[in-house]
Amino acid sequence: MQVSSLNEVKIYSLSCGKSLPEWLSDRKKRALQKKDVDVRRRIELIQDFEMPTVCTTIKVSKDGQYILATGTYKPRVRCYDTYQLSLKFERCLDSEVVTFEILSDDYSKIVFLHNDRYIEFHSQSGFYYKTRIPKFGRDFSYHYPSCDLYFVGASSEVYRLNLEQGRYLNPLQTDAAENNVCDINSVHGLFATGTIEGRVECWDPRTRNRVGLLDCALNSVTADSEINNLPTISALKFNGALTMAVGTSTGQGKIFTSLEPEHDLNDVCLYPNSGMLLTANETPKMGIYYIPVLGPAPRWCSFLDNLTEELEENPESTVYDDYKFVTKKDLENLGLTHLIGSPFLRAYMHGFFMDIRLYHKVKLMVNPFAYEEYRKDKIRQKIEETRAQRVQLKKLPKVNKELALKLIEEEEEKQKSTWKKKVKSLPSILTDDRFKVMFENPDFQVDEESEEFRLLNPLVSKISEKRKKKLRLLEQQELREKEEEEELEGKPSDAESSESSDDEKAWVEEVRKQRRLLQQEEKVKRQERLKEDQQTVLKPQFYEIKAGEEFRSFKDSATKQKLMNKTLEDRLKIEAKNGTLSVSDTTVGSKQLTFTLKRSEQQKKQQEAEKLHRQERKRLRRSAGHLKSRHKRGRSFH
């Protein structure tokens, strides 16, 4: 299956690969499939999906079960059943088919337009009826509400054949000399025809009057376009009630993507509600393409979605295996610019495709150091073969080497245990794509000097001694491999005895030891900070007051800091008592929030009681003062 891409649109060719001759027996076909890799790897969705010589037209039934195609030579029609993935029937015809239409949901009602002006009707059992139109036809459409067939061709008239009455009706007279294509909108029944002058005429079948005229040739010609003749309408198709697609003979329009088959195209058919494209080519084999952007795969070949997803995960760098893509600069370096325009180079986008054998031959002739590179590659291969006999030391990542080595050792132990117990092993973190960033990004490097790591892994220093030694051996091995490019050297790593793990008591002692070390390190850091603070000389700092602002004492900040520890009610009471509640900044754009304290009923009663108590005390003080003064006056009188 070939994969190509244009404008970032993936196109999967399902019909590529070698086809087996029909005259071969089944036994020889099976033998050929075993020997030939290309035949074995091909994808054959539908069996015998081809014509004897050339395929001219191809269509799909409305129910999506049947694919019908016409071809030559001899003229014939073939029907393929998608549910059985094989050929259902084949019928031979008297002349070549220009186009055909499937009137029913399945293959039971078909109308063929031949190149000798004949119209042939087929039923489910076979041939039904044949008639003739006055001029050579090029296209036709069926109007379901009125049971009329509209034929356009080498005439200005649109012929109408009523299938209910079985006779021709008055034709529609257009302003064009000839009409190429036509189509009927399935929503409101509007009939449109494309003329040779580049116009689209729209007719209402109910009144048989023209209701619109669209000049596509005039609108398609711009200042940047280069045309040699008048653009004619070559394709016409409705999409919904208000959308219509028009194709011109000069190929003007915005390109979504493109197909480049080996042979010319005669007809193209899109499988309904899917991304599958069927093509009729100037070759016996009919083309099948799958474009996931256009839609999903059909129900009868839903496995294509899974297949394309697997190919997306492992993309291939080359589009064609037998051809090499080269740019114009590559051709200048190879000295092949004189081949531009010849059959040896096929223009494609910003470069050319050339035969891979020719490319390798020219490259060997142009590059005088090709033999030296070949010799170095052979020496490198010999070195790799001899290294395979040594004790293999696996290459570790640049980040978290000790963690990777630990995981490798654990994996080896698991493999040994699973080999003994015959238990299915679980996937390793090193081979899992979800954790590959941990061994690539330096931000995920494990800090072995941190407090958390030292407390959670108290025995890591003792256990990691073996790994550190192995890491040194690995680094020496990698350095040795870089140096020995042309000589064979190797020294197996020494076998190391395994160490038994410590018991729980040793683990507790190691944790206490680590805690003491951490406390000592923290104490040393505090002493160093204290020493730095003592040596630091404080210098006065000056601040500039902006225009419009007032200077306030530094005591305000201390006061505000104390107020922040109190509740909102207490702060408002204190500010109201000090008179600072209504103080606001004078800078432009400042805002102020004003709070009004509401007294509760209990507070009001309490305040009234306090007020009465103060009045009573004042009255008592006054009466006591009067008695005292009277007593003094009585003593003075005596």
Side-chain angles (χ1 to χ4, degrees):
M1 182 171 61
Q2 289 182 351
V3 184
S4 59
S5 176
L6 181 65
N7 294 339
E8 298 182 356
V9 177
K10 291 281 187 179
I11 302 174
Y12 299 90
S13 178
L14 307 177
S15 58
C16 64
K18 298 180 180 180
S19 58
L20 299 178
E22 295 182 357
W23 43 266
L24 286 179
S25 62
D26 294 339
R27 183 177 181 182
K28 290 184 178 181
K29 287 182 180 180
R30 289 193 298 268
L32 187 60
Q33 288 178 356
K34 292 180 180 179
K35 294 179 181 179
D36 198 336
V37 180
D38 296 334
V39 176
R40 188 168 63 249
R41 289 182 178 178
R42 66 175 182 166
I43 298 177
E44 191 175 9
L45 288 181
I46 302 175
Q47 188 177 2
D48 299 330
F49 195 67
E50 58 186 12
M51 285 288 173
T53 306
V54 173
C55 181
T56 56
T57 56
I58 185 170
K59 292 183 183 298
V60 182
S61 62
K62 293 181 178 61
D63 57 3
Q65 183 177 355
Y66 303 100
I67 300 175
L68 286 90
T70 61
T72 58
Y73 174 81
K74 299 179 179 180
R76 68 192 65 205
V77 58
R78 287 185 173 181
C79 179
Y80 297 91
D81 191 350
T82 57
Y83 291 177
Q84 303 297 330
L85 301 178
S86 61
L87 179 65
K88 185 173 183 63
F89 66 84
E90 178 183 12
R91 299 173 186 171
C92 290
L93 306 172
D94 295 334
S95 59
E96 294 184 8
V97 177
V98 177
T99 183
F100 69 96
E101 187 74 23
I102 307 173
L103 303 184
S104 59
D105 293 338
D106 53 2
Y107 65 91
S108 59
K109 295 180 182 180
I110 312 173
V111 181
F112 297 95
L113 175 62
H114 294 275
N115 59 354
D116 56 356
R117 294 191 294 155
Y118 274 101
I119 303 169
E120 193 170 330
F121 296 87
H122 281 234
S123 63
Q124 188 172 3
S125 58
F127 172 76
Y128 181 76
Y129 182 73
K130 180 186 289 188
T131 186
R132 204 172 189 184
I133 57 176
K135 298 290 184 179
F136 289 97
R138 296 175 181 173
D139 195 10
F140 72 95
S141 296
Y142 180 63
H143 188 248
Y144 282 89
S146 62
C147 298
D148 290 341
L149 281 173
Y150 289 79
F151 296 93
V152 297
S155 174
S156 61
E157 296 178 337
V158 179
Y159 303 105
R160 296 190 300 151
L161 176 60
N162 188 271
L163 301 184
E164 184 180 6
Q165 302 177 15
R167 66 185 182 91
Y168 284 99
L169 304 178
N170 293 331
L172 303 177
Q173 183 64 42
T174 64
D175 295 339
E178 296 178 0
N179 295 279
N180 292 332
V181 291
C182 64
D183 191 25
I184 294 179
N185 195 301
S186 60
V187 179
H188 45 68
L190 185 67
F191 172 74
T193 175
T195 66
I196 196 173
E197 292 85 4
R199 296 189 183 96
V200 175
E201 296 188 11
C202 297
W203 294 75
D204 189 355
R206 299 172 297 179
T207 59
R208 298 185 299 278
N209 294 326
R210 190 175 66 185
V211 295
L213 180 64
L214 179 63
D215 193 348
C216 299
L218 182 62
N219 296 329
S220 63
V221 177
T222 59
D224 300 333
S225 60
E226 297 181 2
I227 56 174
N228 299 324
N229 51 7
L230 183 66
T232 62
I233 305 301
S234 59
L236 182 65
K237 191 66 177 178
F238 281 104
N239 182 19
L242 301 176
T243 308
M244 178 177 60
V246 179
T248 59
S249 59
T250 54
Q252 295 169 328
K254 185 178 180 181
I255 298 177
F256 174 70
T257 186
S258 65
L259 300 173
E260 291 191 6
E262 298 179 359
H263 305 277
D264 296 336
L265 295 175
N266 293 328
D267 193 14
V268 177
C269 176
L270 182 65
Y271 195 91
N273 303 321
S274 70
M276 179 172 287
L277 201 67
L278 307 175
T279 60
N281 314 319
E282 284 288 331
T283 180
K285 201 169 187 179
M286 290 177 280
I288 303 177
Y289 298 91
Y290 178 50
I291 307 175
V293 179
L294 298 180
R299 185 173 56 182
W300 52 273
C301 56
S302 58
F303 61 89
L304 290 177
D305 291 328
N306 299 330
L307 186 62
T308 53
E309 288 177 1
E310 293 177 0
L311 292 177
E312 289 291 338
E313 295 176 358
N314 301 317
E316 296 181 1
S317 58
T318 57
V319 179
Y320 303 106
D321 296 334
D322 299 332
Y323 292 89
K324 173 69 176 179
F325 180 79
V326 292
T327 60
K328 193 173 182 180
K329 188 176 181 180
D330 296 335
L331 293 177
E332 293 176 357
N333 297 333
L334 296 174
L336 299 177
T337 54
H338 62 282
L339 295 179
I340 297 178
S342 65
F344 295 100
L345 296 177
R346 183 179 180 88
Y348 182 79
M349 295 180 67
H350 63 282
F352 306 89
F353 274 115
M354 65 182 301
D355 194 286
I356 192 68
R357 295 171 295 179
L358 177 62
Y359 174 78
H360 287 312
K361 187 181 292 185
V362 176
K363 188 176 180 181
L364 290 175
M365 294 172 61
V366 173
N367 190 4
F369 301 101
Y371 177 73
E372 293 295 331
E373 295 178 359
Y374 172 77
R375 180 173 174 272
K376 289 182 179 179
D377 291 338
K378 285 295 182 182
I379 293 173
R380 193 176 295 108
Q381 291 178 4
K382 290 291 184 182
I383 293 174
E384 294 296 334
E385 290 177 0
T386 55
R387 284 174 181 169
Q389 301 174 359
R390 308 175 185 173
V391 176
Q392 295 294 325
L393 293 177
K394 296 184 179 181
K395 190 174 182 180
L396 298 177
K398 297 181 180 179
V399 182
N400 291 327
K401 291 185 177 180
E402 293 190 4
L403 178 60
L405 185 60
K406 176 184 177 182
L407 294 174
I408 291 173
E409 291 178 355
E410 292 178 354
E411 185 67 21
E412 291 176 354
E413 293 177 359
K414 286 182 181 179
Q415 289 179 358
K416 293 179 181 179
S417 60
T418 53
W419 179 75
K420 292 179 180 179
K421 299 180 182 179
K422 295 183 179 181
V423 181
K424 186 177 180 181
S425 60
L426 297 175
S428 176
I429 297 179
L430 294 172
T431 57
D432 198 338
D433 295 336
R434 297 175 296 176
F435 303 98
K436 66 178 182 179
V437 185
M438 189 171 62
F439 302 100
E440 296 176 357
N441 193 347
D443 296 338
F444 292 94
Q445 178 66 43
V446 178
D447 187 10
E448 298 183 0
E449 300 298 329
S450 62
E451 180 179 356
E452 294 82 3
F453 182 84
R454 293 170 63 178
L455 290 177
L456 293 175
N457 301 273
L459 300 178
V460 71
S461 56
K462 293 184 178 181
I463 299 174
S464 61
E465 290 180 359
K466 178 181 176 181
R467 296 197 186 97
K468 289 181 179 179
K469 188 175 181 180
K470 189 172 288 188
L471 281 174
R472 288 194 295 270
L473 289 173
L474 282 171
E475 293 175 356
Q476 294 175 3
Q477 182 72 12
E478 291 178 359
L479 183 62
R480 196 180 302 115
E481 288 177 356
K482 291 180 181 178
E483 293 176 353
E484 53 178 29
E485 286 292 336
E486 297 183 359
E487 59 181 3
L488 304 177
E489 294 182 1
K491 186 177 181 181
S493 60
D494 299 332
E496 300 175 355
S497 59
S498 59
E499 299 179 358
S500 59
S501 58
D502 297 333
D503 53 359
E504 185 179 358
K505 185 176 180 180
W507 182 81
V508 174
E509 293 178 356
E510 187 66 23
V511 170
R512 292 175 179 174
K513 182 180 179 181
Q514 292 292 335
R515 284 188 179 278
R516 287 194 297 269
L517 290 175
L518 288 172
Q519 292 175 359
Q520 292 177 2
E521 292 175 0
E522 186 65 25
K523 185 177 181 181
V524 171
K525 290 179 181 178
R526 286 199 302 269
Q527 292 178 357
E528 291 178 355
R529 287 198 298 267
L530 181 61
K531 188 176 181 180
E532 290 177 359
D533 295 340
Q534 291 176 356
Q535 293 177 356
T536 303
V537 179
L538 298 177
K539 296 181 180 180
Q541 296 182 359
F542 298 92
Y543 299 92
E544 182 179 359
I545 301 176
K546 296 182 180 179
E549 292 186 355
E550 296 180 0
F551 174 74
R552 299 174 183 174
S553 62
F554 295 103
K555 295 181 180 180
D556 291 346
S557 59
T559 305
K560 289 182 179 180
Q561 187 67 27
K562 292 180 180 180
L563 289 175
M564 291 302 294
N565 298 328
K566 298 181 178 297
T567 61
L568 177 63
E569 182 181 1
D570 296 339
R571 291 202 304 269
L572 292 175
K573 287 182 179 180
I574 294 173
E575 290 180 356
K577 183 178 180 181
N578 297 334
T580 59
L581 184 63
S582 59
V583 176
S584 61
D585 296 333
T586 57
T587 57
V588 179
S590 61
K591 297 180 181 180
Q592 178 182 0
L593 294 177
T594 304
F595 298 91
T596 303
L597 298 178
K598 293 183 179 181
R599 299 176 182 178
S600 60
E601 295 295 333
Q602 186 176 0
Q603 291 178 348
K604 289 181 181 180
K605 291 180 181 180
Q606 185 177 359
Q607 290 179 358
E608 291 178 358
E610 291 178 355
K611 186 177 180 180
L612 293 174
H613 181 68
R614 286 196 298 270
Q615 290 177 359
E616 183 67 20
R617 291 184 63 185
K618 187 183 292 185
R619 186 180 60 80
L620 291 174
R621 284 198 299 270
R622 287 178 180 176
S623 59
H626 287 304
L627 291 174
K628 191 176 181 180
S629 58
R630 288 175 62 185
H631 181 67
K632 287 181 179 180
R633 284 197 302 270
R635 290 181 63 183
S636 59
F637 178 76
H638 287 291

